[in-house]
Amino acid sequence: MSGFKKFLIRGNLVDLAVAFVVGAAFAGLVKDFATSFITPLIALLGGKPDYTRLTVTVSGTTFPYGIFVTSTIAFVITAVIVYFLVVLPTTKLIERMDRRKEVTERECPQCLSDIPVKARRCRFCTSEVVPTAEAPH
C-alpha cells in the first residue's frame, strides 16, 4: 500500500492532474469563446452555421452527418484559436528568452568535458584548446 501512496503523490502524477484540470477548463473557455464570438461571425458571413440536423438516408438507415460537420468546424475553430492565442505567443516568448542566454561554456574537443568559452587549456585533461568565436568580448 505504501508503494501506491508514493505513486499517487509523485510529482509527475500531480503535474499531470493539474495539467488535465487546467486543460479541461481552457477547453471550456475556448469552446465558449468560439460559441459566443466566432460562430456568430460565421453566421454573419455565410448563414446559420448549425449543421447538426443534416442527415442522409440510405436503405432506411439515417446517418446524421451534420453532427460530424459541426464537430469538425468546432475543432478547426478551437485549433486556430489555440494556435494563435497560445502556441504562437509562447513560441515567440521562448525564442526571445533563448536569444538572451549567454554561452559561457563549451565542450573540450579531447575529453568532452565542459570548459569556459575563453579557456586556452582544458582543466580536466590539460589539452590546449583554441578559444571559440563565441567568446564574449
Side-chain angles (χ1 to χ4, degrees), residues 34 39 42 49-51 67-79:
T39 304
I42 293 172
D50 183 16
Y51 302 110
I67 296 170
F68 179 74
V69 170
T70 302
S71 294
T72 303
I73 291 170
F75 172 77
V76 170
I77 290 171
T78 303

Side-chain angles (χ1 to χ4, degrees), residues 6-73:
K6 286 179 184 177
F7 169 74
L8 287 179
I9 61 173
R10 230 173 50 201
N12 292 344
L13 185 63
V14 173
D15 291 345
L16 181 62
V18 169
F20 179 78
V21 170
V22 170
F26 184 72
L29 180 69
V30 169
K31 178 183 172 277
D32 291 343
F33 177 78
T35 302
S36 300
F37 298 103
I38 304 300
T39 304
L41 287 174
I42 293 172
L44 282 175
L45 298 174
K48 188 156 180 66
D50 183 16
Y51 302 110
T52 55
R53 294 192 178 131
L54 296 177
T55 60
V56 64
T57 304
V58 178
S59 298
T61 303
T62 302
F63 295 92
Y65 72 92
I67 296 170
F68 179 74
V69 170
T70 302
S71 294
T72 303
I73 291 170

